[in-house]
Amino acid sequence: MSTQSPQRAEPDLLYSEDEEALRAAVRDLLADHCDAAGVIARAESDAPHDRELWKLLADGMGLAGLLVPEELGGQGATHREVAVVLEELGRAVAPVPYLTSAVVATEALLAADAGDLLGELASGRRIGALAVALNIPAGSAYQVVRFEDGALHGELTGIADAAVADVLLVPADDGGLYAVDASAATVTPQVSLDLTRPLAKVTLDGAPGRLLGDAEPAVRRALRAGAGLLASEQLGLAEWTLTETVRYLKERKQFNRPVGGFQALKHRLAQLWLEVVNLRATARNAADQLATGGDDADLAVAVAQAFAAPVAVHAAEEALQLHGGIGMTWEHPVHLYLKRAKADSIAYGTAGAHRAALAELVDLRAP
């Protein structure tokens, strides 16, 4: 009798033809409807979310329902396709609640088997937000509200995209996850570094809620998927900053030669390219593991987030410095990318938190 264990399928890190076609469609749409000047102008306003762009993505292209099964009104796709969409949204720092509604809230509803709400989120008619602070990693403690006399009472802070949500998914102290109509809550904007993904405080004062199921497994699944796919958004961001910096250094001349011709700058860009390539591998592996439900999904997510945040921040910081004075202006979009990279570096857990989780998973704890 053979003693060999069954061979595990290798992860597929390459993009399929369908994924590349999806990328091209999303990129074309963003090129027409999400230019940098428009994002900057919107960030300065009281309405940072681009509802028209969200409608085009959700209603026009059906992207809000990629993770939702077809029988529930979605597209029945996988995390791999969602990762491609997030790469393109990261390249444009698009001010839409895709990660929070189409990924995190949708994953929570999938865990709770809430078919009616899934259909509404998949169609884009309603936007959902998980009422857990953006900086909380999967498996960590999170704030809950009080469930008393059939209503919810309490306050939750740091909720991403709550300002534009139609339904809030609220964990309560009885262990349940409740769906609360946003009109029954008071949503107060908080100071956010990344104005394209604003945070808010949610106050519930006797708000009615519909019990969806147990909160713990739903929140854990939602935050794990959020962290794993956030790496793809960070990949898109890092690729844009590197590409634009290379382009600028080829055009900008000093001493009658392109600035990019100086050896010291070549070394910095080459190092950054290597980091971005490695980030692509970790992000694709996380998306593939989430899509296939592999046993190594927790490991892949921890590796991706331990690596993604430092690379994205480094890429944005290099872009700011290597663009010289123009990079320091409000009119140039590089500050949008730096703020998104910084905010993403603590979203769904810091790199340090994910390194600690990784050490636990491989049984390699610090002495």
Side-chain angles (χ1 to χ4, degrees):
M1 184 175 71
S2 173
T3 58
Q4 291 183 337
S5 59
Q7 288 190 338
R8 184 174 60 84
E10 293 296 327
D12 182 5
L13 305 185
L14 302 178
Y15 298 98
S16 67
E17 290 186 8
D18 289 343
E19 289 167 354
E20 291 293 2
L22 174 62
R23 178 197 306 286
V26 176
R27 185 174 295 189
D28 286 347
L29 185 144
L30 292 173
D32 292 338
H33 299 279
C34 188
D35 64 313
V39 177
I40 292 173
R42 191 172 295 281
E44 293 179 298
S45 72
D46 294 330
H49 292 98
D50 191 336
R51 288 181 177 272
E52 289 301 317
L53 177 60
W54 172 256
K55 186 176 180 182
L56 291 171
L57 291 167
D59 192 22
M61 298 185 70
L63 301 182
L66 285 181
L67 290 177
V68 179
E70 292 182 84
E71 60 270 26
L72 297 178
Q75 305 299 319
T78 72
H79 300 77
R80 291 176 58 94
E81 287 79 13
V82 173
V84 171
V85 174
L86 282 168
E87 285 180 29
E88 295 309 308
L89 294 178
R91 289 176 62 87
V93 285
V96 292
Y98 191 83
L99 181 65
T100 48
S101 182
V103 176
V104 176
T106 295
E107 286 280 350
L109 293 175
L110 285 168
D113 198 20
D116 55 338
L117 278 178
L118 278 170
E120 293 178 353
L121 263 59
S123 69
R125 294 192 303 272
R126 302 185 81 188
I127 296 171
L130 180 66
V132 173
L134 183 62
N135 65 323
I136 300 296
S140 295
Y142 49 85
Q143 282 185 301
V144 298
V145 297
R146 190 175 76 259
F147 182 75
E148 184 177 298
D149 298 331
L152 299 165
H153 308 263
E155 185 176 285
L156 301 166
T157 58
I159 311 303
D161 293 333
V164 75
D166 300 296
V167 59
L168 299 165
L169 308 180
V170 181
D173 59 359
D174 65 345
L177 183 69
Y178 291 83
V180 177
D181 196 293
S183 62
T186 301
V187 178
T188 308
Q190 293 183 289
V191 176
S192 306
L193 175 63
D194 178 12
L195 298 176
T196 62
R197 182 173 287 151
L199 305 177
K201 178 176 68 177
V202 173
T203 304
L204 303 173
D205 185 13
R210 178 163 69 92
L211 180 63
L212 299 172
D214 293 338
E216 197 280 332
V219 171
R220 176 184 286 271
R221 173 172 171 170
L223 297 184
R224 187 183 72 163
L229 293 175
L230 176 65
S232 293
E233 178 184 290
Q234 291 164 309
L235 170 61
L237 185 156
E239 285 186 332
W240 184 92
T241 52
L242 176 59
T243 301
E244 284 301 304
T245 303
V246 171
R247 183 190 60 77
Y248 176 76
L249 294 183
K250 285 182 176 178
E251 295 176 355
R252 180 81 166 92
K253 290 186 178 180
Q254 196 171 45
F255 306 119
N256 204 30
R257 59 181 291 192
V259 173
F262 293 101
Q263 195 70 13
L265 298 188
K266 287 182 178 178
H267 286 170
R268 289 170 66 169
L269 293 170
Q271 175 61 35
L272 195 55
W273 181 83
L274 289 172
E275 293 177 14
V276 171
V277 169
N278 288 329
L279 169 54
R280 181 183 299 116
T282 62
R284 291 299 294 167
N285 186 44
D288 187 71
Q289 286 291 324
L290 289 169
T292 58
D295 295 336
D296 290 338
D298 288 336
L299 191 68
V301 169
V303 169
Q305 271 308 313
F307 195 77
V311 173
V313 171
H314 183 211
E317 288 177 341
E318 286 287 73
L320 183 71
Q321 289 194 17
L322 296 178
H323 273 80
I326 191 175
M328 304 291 177
T329 63
W330 185 259
E331 289 76 15
H332 196 281
V334 70
H335 67 89
L336 293 174
Y337 291 83
L338 181 57
K339 291 170 183 171
R340 174 68 71 88
K342 288 282 190 180
D344 281 356
S345 70
I346 61 170
Y348 308 116
T350 63
H354 287 284
R355 282 195 292 271
L358 178 60
E360 289 287 333
L361 289 168
V362 299
D363 197 20
L364 189 64
R365 300 174 183 83

